[in-house]
Amino acid sequence: MSSYWSNWAGLVRLETLFQCFIFFTALLISEIYSPNTIFRVLRDVALLCVVLVFISLILSPSSNLSSFVAIYHHKNTTGQFLGLCTIILLFSKDVLRFKKIFILLSLSLLLLTNSTTSIIAFILAISAGYLTISITDSTRAWLHFTLSRVGYWALLFLFIQIYIFHIDILDFIYNNLSDEAITGRGILWKTMLYHAEEKIVMGFGYASVWWHDDYSEIYFTDLARTNLNWVEKLSGSDGGFVDVVLSLGLIGLFMFITFLYTILLNLLKMDDRNQRSILISLFCLITTFGITESIFLVPQNAFWFFLLLIFCMSIPIKNKNNYVC
């Protein structure tokens, strides 16, 4: 729909089609394969990633051990994938030889990245996973009932308040957010929010702001005029929720947060405790990453695919005998 008011209508439609392919791929995987099969594949991939990162560290002894990037392009990306691998290995119920050694190795490599955001997100995700295991079924049922009855109305009320006072909220951000805040993200967030102020309700349109090698909305900002070389290297604002506001506005942000809230409710409703704990832990990890990283609505991003896969796996299945394996 955003192609109707976007200056980049063709790009919006093309990227939306790509987005549909990614979503239906996640849906097919969740429908064809059982959760146990998916978790087993994820476990094997996690083991492979940990081994590759460790080998890259051994082969590059001259690299800075306090902040290494290994096989990825940035320490935050390395930390994110190692956090993901550690959670998958930690909550895996399969009896695996040397499992504890791999978990310890993955956790050690995560700490070596010195990625503060990845480490904090990992701690929050692990806490959420173990909290899910510890609560009783009666508590979980009461929590799901309460959140499903009250949560959506609370989100609607919050959205109305944000819509009414969005000018005051933006002024507060401009006046109080430091340019160097969150490792330099402050100037980027303020610049783009100021540029989008007149279209803050509906946004510029999906995929119309952050794309490599394409002439997008960021080139119309003061940031492009003062630091074009830096702008050309950007693929996002390093803020997933900020990107949603820029692309789809406050209306899109409300829909997206409602989508995340629906995933959480579906996960709380799952009967299998082990599956529920690992999916909630991964869900918390990805959403926490989304605060400081551009991962939402980006088809090429692995974490966005994981989030769509978690959503598809959280949908209740009436007949579990339909799985191929």
Side-chain angles (χ1 to χ4, degrees):
M1 291 179 61
S2 65
S3 64
Y4 289 101
W5 61 80
S6 173
N7 294 327
W8 319 92
L11 183 61
V12 172
R13 296 191 186 101
L14 179 62
E15 292 299 329
T16 302
L17 181 62
F18 190 24
Q19 186 76 255
C20 290
F21 291 153
I22 298 297
F23 171 73
F24 284 115
T25 300
L27 184 62
L28 282 172
I29 292 174
S30 66
E31 289 291 321
I32 294 175
Y33 300 104
S34 67
N36 289 334
T37 302
I38 295 175
F39 289 140
R40 190 161 53 249
V41 173
L42 290 178
R43 180 208 63 195
D44 294 340
V45 173
L47 290 172
L48 178 61
C49 287
V50 173
V51 171
L52 289 177
V53 171
F54 180 69
I55 291 176
S56 69
L57 180 63
I58 296 299
L59 295 179
S60 303
S62 60
S63 63
N64 186 1
L65 293 180
S66 64
S67 180
F68 76 102
V69 298
I71 58 177
Y72 304 103
H73 68 282
H74 195 273
K75 67 172 185 176
N76 288 342
T77 307
T78 307
Q80 290 165 13
F81 275 98
L82 287 171
L84 188 74
C85 294
T86 306
I87 288 175
I88 292 173
L89 295 175
L90 194 60
F91 286 101
S92 176
K93 64 179 181 180
D94 296 332
V95 179
L96 184 66
R97 193 176 183 183
F98 306 125
K99 175 182 175 180
K100 293 182 179 179
I101 295 178
F102 279 105
I103 293 174
L104 182 61
L105 177 61
S106 180
L107 183 59
S108 301
L109 292 172
L110 171 61
L111 296 176
L112 280 176
T113 62
N114 199 29
S115 173
T116 305
T117 55
S118 300
I119 295 172
I120 292 175
F122 172 76
I123 294 173
L124 293 176
I126 288 294
S127 301
Y130 279 109
L131 181 63
T132 305
I133 294 177
S134 62
I135 62 175
T136 62
D137 289 339
S138 59
T139 303
R140 177 175 59 87
W142 173 84
L143 185 63
H144 177 272
F145 176 82
T146 304
L147 293 177
S148 61
R149 295 297 184 275
V150 178
Y152 289 110
W153 291 107
L155 287 176
L156 180 60
F157 175 78
L158 179 62
F159 168 72
I160 293 174
Q161 296 301 308
I162 292 176
Y163 174 75
I164 295 173
F165 299 105
H166 71 272
I167 298 297
D168 296 328
I169 295 173
L170 288 174
D171 288 339
F172 178 82
I173 293 174
Y174 300 151
N175 296 324
N176 293 276
L177 184 64
S178 171
D179 291 350
E180 294 77 23
I182 319 177
T183 62
R185 292 175 174 89
I187 181 63
L188 197 54
W189 292 359
K190 290 195 296 184
T191 298
M192 292 311 300
L193 288 174
Y194 181 77
H195 179 63
E197 193 169 286
E198 294 182 357
K199 295 187 176 182
I200 200 69
V201 176
M202 301 181 71
F204 288 112
Y206 174 59
S208 62
V209 182
W210 306 108
W211 295 101
H212 282 303
D213 302 324
D214 285 320
Y215 198 58
S216 61
E217 286 292 337
I218 191 174
Y219 289 95
F220 292 94
T221 65
D222 292 336
L223 196 63
R225 287 187 286 271
T226 58
N227 203 335
L228 182 60
N229 291 332
W230 187 47
V231 166
E232 289 178 343
K233 299 177 182 178
L234 292 173
S235 59
S237 67
D238 279 346
F241 292 99
V242 175
D243 287 342
V244 173
V245 174
L246 297 176
S247 298
L248 303 178
L250 295 178
I251 295 177
L253 179 65
F254 169 72
M255 296 174 63
F256 181 68
I257 292 178
T258 304
F259 167 70
L260 295 179
Y261 190 75
T262 302
I263 296 177
L264 181 60
L265 289 180
N266 289 344
L267 293 176
L268 286 174
K269 199 174 182 180
M270 294 181 66
D271 294 326
D272 191 298
R273 179 174 294 185
N274 183 263
Q275 294 179 10
R276 184 174 68 246
S277 61
I278 187 173
L279 288 179
I280 286 181
S281 184
L282 292 176
F283 172 77
C284 291
L285 185 77
I286 294 171
T287 51
T288 306
F289 284 157
I291 298 174
T292 57
E293 301 294 336
S294 298
I295 62 176
F296 298 141
L297 303 178
V298 182
Q300 299 92 332
N301 192 285
F303 292 99
W304 173 244
F305 177 78
F306 273 118
L307 186 61
L308 292 178
L309 183 61
I310 291 170
F311 166 67
C312 294
M313 293 177 67
S314 70
I315 299 174
I317 303 297
K318 293 183 179 180
N319 187 0
K320 297 183 179 181
N321 295 324
N322 290 333
Y323 292 127
V324 174
C325 64

